[in-house]
Amino acid sequence: MVSVARIRQGIRRAPILILALAVLVVTAAGVFHAPAFAQEESRGWSLRDLLFPRRSERIEPPVEVQPRPKPKKKSKPRPPAEPETPIVEKTNDARVVLVVGDFLASGLAEGLDTAFADNPAVRIVARSNGSSGFVRDDVYNWPAQIKSLIETEKPAVVIVMLGSNDRQQMKVGEVREQPRSENWTKEYERRTDALGKALQETKVPFLWVGMPAFGVSKMNSDMLAFNDIYHSVAQSNGGEFVDVWDGFVDENGAFVTSGPDINGQPVRLRSDDGINVTKAGKRKLAFYTEKPLAKILGLAAPGSITTVSAPAGAPVE
């Protein structure tokens, strides 16, 4: 039998049990009514979770994001390619055009060779010295050499393009004169005139092509002064001066690297150094020379093979 002492002890513990049960009920209610995310954090794993995962637990495949297509760059319209000029064999009696001078004269000869490539009656012969000029006559003396060149090549026309190397000191007597000083200029005029007189004595007609503008601004004032001298020498010795300046400057007279070619299409005329001439630039130099050259040769038009003047090789007075 249960003793009276144990019954009394059970009665004393009853309030504590009732209180514990009440706390347990309240806690359970809080669990069931807690926010969904709290329940999901506190609950354990079950078979239901494996078979039927909640939306928040499902692994969704990543949405493929299509990259935006890059806008296509608008390509600049290319200028029409210059048609290739058919090269024809020159006739035995083709008239020789002798081109003399410095490295620019060499480029001019290339341009003329292209211009007259389809003309069997005209042959371009280049006899240039790239580093030559009037200042360094110790390198090459044009007034002294021109007669022998003409005797060898027997040209119908001579074209001179010289002066791009002449912006340097010149030895006059025993003194080295500064470029374009008074004594320098007098000696320069004398040397250029000596070449003009030598050409005149051969009785071969000649064209004197002026200097173009250059990318180095300090050069241009000198080149313009040189062109004035060349113009005067050519006229006083029976030649003709060909001015190419406007073909290599813009409307304001400033040097340009690119500009219109002989067909009016924008092209690169000069190299990055602002001195050398590109293929299109060489052709443009020749373009300025074609008309007076055709007139001397007696061609009906540039490129025409019909002549109306003296026979090949004979001087035209």
Side-chain angles (χ1 to χ4, degrees):
M1 295 183 63
V2 180
S3 64
V4 175
R6 286 190 176 182
I7 293 173
R8 288 179 179 176
Q9 187 177 6
I11 293 172
R12 289 194 208 103
R13 291 180 178 176
I16 296 173
L17 293 173
I18 293 171
L19 180 60
L21 288 172
V23 171
L24 182 61
V25 171
V26 171
T27 302
V31 170
F32 286 110
H33 294 284
F37 69 87
Q39 293 182 35
E40 292 180 3
E41 288 181 357
S42 61
R43 66 184 179 81
W45 179 87
S46 68
L47 183 60
R48 176 190 177 285
D49 295 328
L50 180 62
L51 298 177
F52 306 102
R54 291 175 173 77
R55 181 175 297 274
S56 60
E57 297 172 345
R58 294 173 187 171
I59 301 175
E60 300 289 343
V63 178
E64 292 186 4
V65 179
Q66 297 294 334
R68 293 183 180 179
K70 294 182 179 179
K72 294 182 179 180
K73 294 182 179 179
K74 294 183 179 179
S75 57
K76 295 182 180 179
R78 293 183 178 179
E82 186 176 346
E84 292 186 4
T85 305
I87 299 175
V88 299
E89 186 176 352
K90 305 299 181 180
T91 60
N92 293 331
D93 61 347
R95 309 190 74 185
V96 173
V97 177
L98 176 62
V99 183
V100 299
D102 54 26
F103 68 93
L104 287 179
S106 177
L108 169 62
E110 288 183 34
L112 285 170
D113 204 39
T114 301
F116 288 92
D118 61 346
N119 190 330
V122 177
R123 182 168 69 251
I124 309 299
V125 175
R127 290 292 180 266
S128 59
N129 185 308
S131 57
S132 66
F134 292 107
V135 171
R136 292 295 306 274
D137 57 1
D138 58 319
V139 173
Y140 196 90
N141 191 320
W142 282 104
Q145 297 294 330
I146 193 64
K147 289 183 180 180
S148 62
L149 286 174
I150 290 175
E151 288 174 1
T152 301
E153 302 298 342
K154 296 178 174 54
V157 187
V158 176
I159 300 178
V160 179
M161 192 173 190
L162 193 61
S164 60
N165 298 314
D166 287 345
R167 295 179 66 254
Q168 55 181 303
Q169 291 181 350
M170 178 164 50
K171 190 174 181 180
V172 183
E174 297 301 321
V175 180
R176 289 196 173 276
E177 300 288 348
Q178 293 299 319
R180 295 188 60 200
S181 64
E182 184 177 355
N183 289 337
W184 189 98
T185 301
K186 286 181 180 179
E187 179 63 16
Y188 195 78
E189 289 173 345
R190 188 194 69 75
R191 295 185 186 188
T192 53
D193 191 57
L195 178 58
K197 282 181 168 57
L199 287 166
Q200 186 180 39
E201 289 173 3
T202 65
K203 298 186 181 301
V204 177
F206 69 92
L207 300 174
W208 198 308
V209 180
M211 290 289 103
F214 289 93
V216 182
S217 58
K218 291 180 180 180
M219 293 182 66
N220 290 332
S221 59
D222 293 337
M223 292 300 123
L224 287 170
F226 292 174
N227 283 345
D228 288 341
I229 296 173
Y230 306 150
H231 192 179
S232 176
V233 168
Q235 285 190 329
S236 63
N237 290 286
E240 183 177 351
F241 180 74
V242 179
D243 191 348
V244 300
W245 192 269
D246 289 345
F248 298 89
V249 296
D250 61 17
E251 60 275 9
N252 298 316
F255 168 84
V256 291
T257 301
S258 300
D261 65 3
I262 63 173
N263 299 311
Q265 298 296 327
V267 293
R268 190 174 181 85
L269 300 171
R270 307 297 281 274
S271 58
D272 291 337
D273 60 12
I275 295 175
N276 287 287
V277 186
T278 64
K279 182 179 179 180
K282 294 172 184 176
R283 183 65 185 88
K284 195 167 186 178
L285 286 174
F287 174 76
Y288 279 87
T289 315
E290 283 180 58
K291 189 173 181 179
L293 178 57
K295 184 179 178 181
I296 294 173
L297 291 173
L299 300 178
S304 170
I305 62 173
T306 305
T307 59
V308 294
S309 62
V316 180
E317 300 186 17

